[in-house]
Amino acid sequence: EVQLVESGGGLVQPGGSLRLSCAASGFTLSSRDMYWVRRAPEKALEWVSSLSSVGNSRAYNPSLNGRFSISRDDAKNILYLQMNSLKTEDTAMYYCATDRDGVMKGQGTRVTVSS
């Protein structure tokens, strides 16, 4: 059974950093393109970042302006999202997913950026 479990969210002040984790079971992360998506309050699901299974190519939503970084630990089968210089508009529920539309995703981890 494919399962994704996100963690690492929390309350952080503007300008702060967080690292989200996504532990996968039932499949090997490196065998699939993986995604981070987010849903801000009262907004639609938004693609954040992707990491390809071939060539480890990374892509980011241009609105992030280079503040986030996606990575993967193959030994632990965990996907990460390093988030720096956080802004209030980054407040959202963050999900890792096996598709860009977030159809197959975990339960999410909440990130709140507030002073």
Side-chain angles (χ1 to χ4, degrees):
E1 178 187 1
V2 172
Q3 191 172 17
L4 299 167
V5 179
E6 302 91 338
S7 62
L11 174 63
V12 62
Q13 292 186 341
S17 297
L18 281 175
R19 188 177 77 161
L20 306 184
S21 300
C22 171
S25 58
F27 73 106
T28 301
L29 280 173
S30 60
S31 68
R32 298 192 186 188
D33 296 347
M34 291 298 299
Y35 304 82
W36 285 98
V37 295
R38 68 184 181 185
R39 188 190 300 278
E42 301 182 5
K43 292 191 176 180
L45 199 67
E46 177 184 39
W47 168 70
V48 173
S49 181
S50 307
L51 177 59
S52 69
S53 59
V54 178
N56 291 327
S57 177
R58 292 161 171 80
Y60 300 94
N61 189 313
S63 69
L64 299 175
N65 291 318
R67 297 182 294 117
F68 292 9
S69 177
I70 190 171
S71 62
R72 190 183 65 225
D73 186 324
D74 291 342
K76 296 181 179 178
N77 210 34
I78 296 177
L79 183 73
Y80 297 104
L81 184 69
Q82 178 68 42
M83 306 188 298
N84 299 325
S85 302
L86 283 162
K87 303 177 179 181
T88 55
E89 52 262 44
D90 295 318
T91 294
M93 186 72 81
Y94 284 74
Y95 304 88
C96 65
T98 58
D99 63 284
R100 183 168 172 148
D101 293 327
V103 174
M104 174 58 196
K105 61 184 181 290
Q107 86 292 343
T109 186
R110 186 177 301 278
V111 172
T112 302
V113 184
S114 175
S115 56

